[in-house]
Amino acid sequence: MIDNIIREDIEKIKSELKEDDFAEKKVLITGGAGFIGSWLCDVLVGFGAEVMCVDDFSTGRMKNIDHLTKNPKFKLIKSDVCAFQSRDKFDFIFHMAGHASPDEYQKHPIETLQTSSFGSANMAELARKSDATLLLASTSEVYGDAKIVPTPEGYWGRVNPIGPRSCYDEGKRFAEALLVAYHKQYGLDVKIPRIFNSHGPRLREDGLYGRAMSRFIMQALANKPITVYGDGKQTRSFCYITDTVTGLMLLTISDDAKGEAVNVGSAQEVTILELAKKIKEMTQCSSSLTFQPLPQDDPRRRCPDTDKLEKLMGWKPKIPFEEGLKRTITWFSSKGTT
Ligand code: UDP
């Protein structure tokens, strides 16, 4: 599905990039029907790239890409990334497939680990055969419950290897180690963006897939209580989707970022309570705030140090928190409160 907000945002992303870097390139996007993956599909097809989207729809949604399926530059393959095989050669592989929502990945810990481990291994081999650039959607979760905030890439992380979040955290840590090994042993061009909380149109809001941002907005739009976990003093930094996607695409083509892990996210840290209150204010809803138990191992603070991104790319996320939030709320409110 594509609407005016998404259309404008795609154009915004394209205006930050050079068409020539992507036009006519052969691109594989795993998790292409997901939140960030579907934006990559849109921008790359818009630039005239030939895009193959692989998705098993375990967390992705057909409605994110259905408008592309008739485009001759776009090919959809329904497959688990662990099983996907292709004789095609690619210029770029974006390995975006994964389970990113804490409630959902904790329900499917084995699949979550498999996508990051076997799926990444499969993509690394495919990239090696193609001599493709391979970008892995890594995560701020590799830092776990970080003690240094804003967190630089040099921080090794504080992760509970057998905790409820370990399937996601350790899976991505393995995937990072694997890509670095391919870079060292085979000289493969790998890019490892550590993506921090992102939001915007197409962020899932339903059931186990919902995130704090999308749930709070839907609760506010329905005038239902906003469910804050713990005391709400834990922090996150929310990056608007246009900045996240621009950052990923700049990294893909950067020679300086070969083999590097780079934080991609907003450096504006807010508490979850502030997020809830801001959404309440912006939607002018009558929702109350209800406080529920904080999930085990929920990181207390999360905010990236974006110096490396800025130094390597000469670019950093631009959309201020309130501006992005307003846009996400507008998009969700135009969808209706289901
Ligand atoms: N959270 C919350 N209420 C919800 C969902 C999440 O207060 O209904 C909290 C969650 O415990 C975490 C933060 O909001 O501290 C961000 O949650 P998100 O769903 O974005 O996942 P995370 O950033 O932890 O991966």
Side-chain angles (χ1 to χ4, degrees):
M1 189 179 21
I2 195 148
D3 52 43
N4 283 342
I5 293 190
I6 295 179
R7 203 169 282 120
E8 273 173 30
D9 283 345
I10 291 170
E11 289 311 313
K12 181 158 183 18
I13 297 167
K14 285 167 72 185
S15 72
E16 305 255 3
L17 302 161
K18 289 199 203 102
E19 182 162 358
D20 282 356
D21 288 328
F22 302 101
E24 307 300 331
K25 297 284 193 242
K26 290 197 77 160
V27 183
L28 174 67
I29 305 176
T30 76
F35 170 45
I36 301 177
S38 62
W39 281 88
L40 287 167
C41 289
D42 273 324
V43 175
L44 284 158
V45 169
F47 270 154
E50 222 174 284
V51 173
M52 187 182 285
C53 164
V54 173
D55 206 299
D56 67 356
F57 295 94
S58 53
T59 68
R61 287 163 142 178
M62 191 62 206
K63 65 180 178 184
N64 291 342
I65 48 159
D66 54 6
H67 59 283
L68 290 171
T69 51
K70 290 205 171 65
N71 190 312
K73 292 275 193 182
F74 183 80
K75 189 168 173 189
L76 171 64
I77 294 180
K78 187 170 187 280
S79 169
D80 178 344
V81 68
C82 301
F84 175 72
Q85 296 293 328
S86 174
R87 293 211 174 127
D88 289 303
K89 298 251 183 234
F90 299 99
D91 297 297
F92 302 127
I93 299 177
F94 290 84
H95 181 29
M96 310 303 292
H99 300 249
S101 167
D103 286 345
E104 200 275 330
Y105 67 62
Q106 289 179 38
K107 184 124 193 273
H108 300 110
I110 296 173
E111 290 86 342
T112 301
L113 277 158
Q114 284 172 337
T115 307
S116 289
S117 54
F118 303 136
S120 298
N122 198 15
M123 287 309 109
E125 272 306 302
L126 194 57
R128 189 166 75 93
K129 284 180 202 146
S130 287
D131 199 20
T133 297
L134 173 60
L135 177 135
L136 164 77
S138 189
T139 168
S140 53
E141 289 264 345
V142 298
Y143 300 125
D145 192 13
K147 284 285 178 210
I148 298 178
V149 182
T151 309
E153 290 81 354
Y155 183 68
W156 290 0
R158 207 167 76 94
V159 170
N160 176 354
I162 53 165
R165 300 176 87 102
S166 66
C167 57
Y168 190 60
D169 304 359
E170 297 291 17
K172 291 289 188 183
R173 287 168 68 97
F174 170 83
E176 287 201 3
L178 185 74
L179 260 70
V180 166
Y182 267 79
H183 178 66
K184 283 194 187 134
Q185 207 166 319
Y186 298 125
L188 192 71
D189 176 9
V190 301
K191 307 286 163 53
I192 307 174
R194 292 179 176 155
I195 305 171
F196 283 64
N197 292 61
S198 296
H199 68 102
R202 300 184 183 149
L203 179 65
R204 281 191 81 151
E205 77 297 345
D206 53 317
L208 294 176
Y209 304 98
R211 308 294 296 273
M213 169 71 80
S214 48
R215 277 190 198 160
F216 288 1
I217 293 174
M218 294 308 281
Q219 288 163 346
L221 292 174
N223 289 309
K224 289 186 177 153
I226 296 178
T227 53
V228 174
Y229 295 165
D231 56 11
K233 286 190 185 142
Q234 70 272 32
T235 68
R236 297 293 185 268
S237 49
F238 295 96
C239 192
Y240 190 64
I241 187 69
T242 52
D243 277 338
T244 303
V245 173
T246 304
L248 298 184
M249 293 185 70
L250 286 172
L251 268 181
T252 306
I253 51 159
S254 159
D255 283 338
D256 295 337
K258 282 185 181 171
E260 297 287 332
V262 184
N263 291 339
V264 175
S266 158
Q268 219 177 325
E269 188 180 9
V270 295
T271 69
I272 292 303
L273 194 57
E274 278 164 353
L275 174 70
K277 285 183 177 166
K278 203 35 99 186
I279 290 173
K280 219 170 120 55
E281 182 192 311
M282 285 185 168
T283 55
Q284 298 184 315
C285 68
S286 57
S287 300
S288 58
L289 300 182
T290 62
F291 292 85
Q292 299 184 359
L294 187 70
Q296 189 196 326
D297 294 354
D298 196 288
R300 288 305 296 171
R301 287 185 69 192
R302 185 185 292 157
C303 179
D305 180 327
T306 54
D307 279 1
K308 187 171 178 183
L309 177 72
E310 213 178 327
K311 271 192 203 117
L312 289 177
M313 305 296 117
W315 176 91
K316 63 177 175 179
K318 294 188 171 117
I319 312 287
F321 168 62
E322 287 200 21
E323 190 183 324
L325 181 57
K326 194 170 158 214
R327 215 157 164 79
T328 300
I329 291 173
T330 307
W331 186 81
F332 274 105
S333 53
S334 70
K335 304 281 127 220
T337 56
T338 49

